[in-house]
Amino acid sequence: MTDLAHVTRWTTLALSLSLTACAASPASAPLPTPEQPLNGLDSYIEQAVEEWGIAGLAIAIVDDDSIVFAEGYGVRDVRTGEPVDENTVFAIGSNSKLFTSVSTGMLVDEGVMDWSDRATEHLPAFQLYDPYVTREIRIRDLLSHRSGLGLRGDLLWYGSDLNREEILRQIRYLEPNSSFRSEFGYQNIMFLAAGEALANAAGTTWDDFVEQNIFTPLGMERSTTSPVPLEQMQNVAQPHVNEDGQLIPVPYRNIDNVAPAGSINSSVIDMAQWLRMLLNEGTYEGQVLVDTATLAEIMSPHTIMGAPSDSLFPSTHFLSYGMGIVVQDYRGAKVGWHTGGIDGMLSLVALLPEEEVGVVILTNSMGHNNLFTALMYRVLDAYLGAPPRDWSGIFLDQTLKAEAGAAERALEAEAARVTGTTPSLPLAQYVGTYSDEMYGDLEIRQGDGGLTLHKGSTFVADLEHWHYNTFKANWRDGAGLVGDVLSTIVFELNARAEVESLEIPGLEDFERVDDEEAQG
C-alpha cells in the first residue's frame, strides 16, 4: 500500500527494527511453567507491543470456564493516547464467521435447517456461474470454503454501494478457479450467502439473530454486528495502518453488506464469554445454546487446506477448515483457530478444546503486525507444557525479512519500468465509462492533475503514467484491499487506435461503453 517512492525509506526502517529486536527480546521476561502458564505473560506482551510498534492490543484467556487473564496494552488512538483495556471494542473481522456457523447450527438443532440443505432451498434466487454448482451447493459447502470460487470477488462488497441482495445476485458472473469441492478456497461472499440463508429460514435478519441468540444470552453487551452503533459508544479502539513505519488512524470500514463474513465488533471480555460457551460444548452458565454434537460438527475437518510445511511447526501433521474455523493438530492436541482482518484491525481466536483453554487477541494495527499470531503460540505452548520460545522475536524477524523482500521486489519492478515513454493518445481520449458484467461501472476522468479513476462512491485513484498505456493507481483511500489489488491499470487499444478496454491485472477487464449504455 506504499508507493515506490517510499520503498527505500521502509527498507532502512526494517533493518533498524531488526537490530532493535535482536538487542532487546521479550525472552528476558519470566518463563511460563506447566504449573504457572501465565508466568511472565504480562511483561512479555508489554515489551512485545513496544517492539512491534503497534498501537494497541487486548487479550483474554479462558481456562476451565473462567477468565484467568484479561488485559489491554498500548493505546486506542495514537492521537489521544487513551489506553486500551479489557473492555475496549475492536473490529473482529473474519472471526465473525464462526458466529454465522453457530447461528446456523442453532437452526439445525431446531430442525429448521440442515447442513445438507441446498442453498437454493433458503435462497431461491441464488445462482453461481456453473449451473451444476448452483444446484448442488449445500449449506455445509457455503461454510467450509469449497465452492470453487477462491478468494475472489471481494470488490463486489469492499467499499461498494451494493447491498447484500445485490452482491449475491452479481456473484453469478464470477467464473470458478477450481472445480466444486476439489480444494480449499477462502470465500467471503459464500458466508454472506450462508448468513442470508439462515436469516430467511429464521424469518429475521442475520444481525437480529446473532444479537438475540448469541450476544444477549452470553451477556455480550458491548458487541455489535455493525460499526454504526460504535459512534455512540465509549472506549472504542481506532483502526490504524502502518505506512512507512508511521501509524496512521483510518476510519472504520462499514462492511454491513457482507456482515455474516466479518462485521462484528467486540471486546475481549465479551469474546471471552463466547469462548466459554464454545469450550463448554455449547452450554453457557447452565443454558444450552447449541447442541454438543452440532458444535462438534462445526469444529470437525470439512476441507483440506494443504499439507503443513513450515519447519517451525514439526508437530503439526494436518491443516483443515471446519465451518468458520481452522482445525489442526499442534503438539499432539487439537486446536481450533481463526484470524480476522479489516481496515486497521487484526484479530485472532484460538481454542484448545481438550484442555478447556481459549484465547482471544484483538489489535488495532494493520501492516507490520503479526504479534497476534505470536501470542497465540506463546499461550498454546504455555498450556501444553512446551519449552518456552520467543515467538514474538521469531515472527518479528520473519516479518522484517518479508518486508525487505517486498521492498526489493518493488525496486525490481521500478527497474523494469520503461522510461521515456508517453501514452499513445492524448489523456482526454482515455476518459470514459468502463464496465464489467460482475463489478459494474468505473469511470476515468480528467482534471488538472491528470487522470483519475472512480469506482462507486468510495474509491478514487490518481493515475500516474508508468509506461506506454500502463498507469499506476495511487488510491486516496490507501487502506485495505485496494492498495494490494487495484495497483495497475492497463488501457487496451483497438485496430483504429481507440481505447477499447481497461485491464486491472489479476482482477478483470472492463470494456469501454458510452454513457447511455452505462446508465442502462
Side-chain angles (χ1 to χ4, degrees), residues 15-28 47 51 390 393 396 400:
L15 291 174
S16 174
L17 287 172
S18 181
L19 291 173
T20 303
C22 293
S25 167
S28 58
Q47 188 171 349
E51 290 178 358
D390 179 15
L396 180 56
L400 293 170

Side-chain angles (χ1 to χ4, degrees), residues 194-243:
E196 290 298 277
L198 80 86
N200 288 344
T204 185
T205 64
W206 173 86
D207 308 74
D208 286 345
F209 190 95
V210 170
E211 289 173 4
Q212 295 168 11
N213 294 276
I214 298 179
F215 290 171
T216 297
L218 295 182
M220 298 175 67
E221 298 178 353
R222 291 184 56 75
S223 299
T224 71
T225 60
S226 165
V228 176
L230 302 183
E231 297 174 3
Q232 308 301 320
M233 293 176 62
Q234 301 295 315
N235 197 4
V236 175
Q238 182 71 33
H240 297 78
V241 295
N242 190 310
E243 294 186 359

Side-chain angles (χ1 to χ4, degrees), residues 90-134:
F90 298 76
I92 72 168
S94 285
N95 273 303
S96 305
K97 287 180 168 66
L98 188 56
F99 285 80
T100 297
S101 297
V102 171
S103 295
T104 304
M106 293 175 175
L107 294 180
V108 170
D109 289 345
E110 295 176 11
V112 176
M113 297 183 77
D114 188 89
W115 299 120
S116 296
D117 285 351
R118 288 180 166 86
T120 52
E121 291 181 43
H122 305 286
L123 297 170
F126 185 64
Q127 183 178 330
L128 296 176
Y129 189 86
D130 186 329
Y132 170 77
V133 181
T134 299

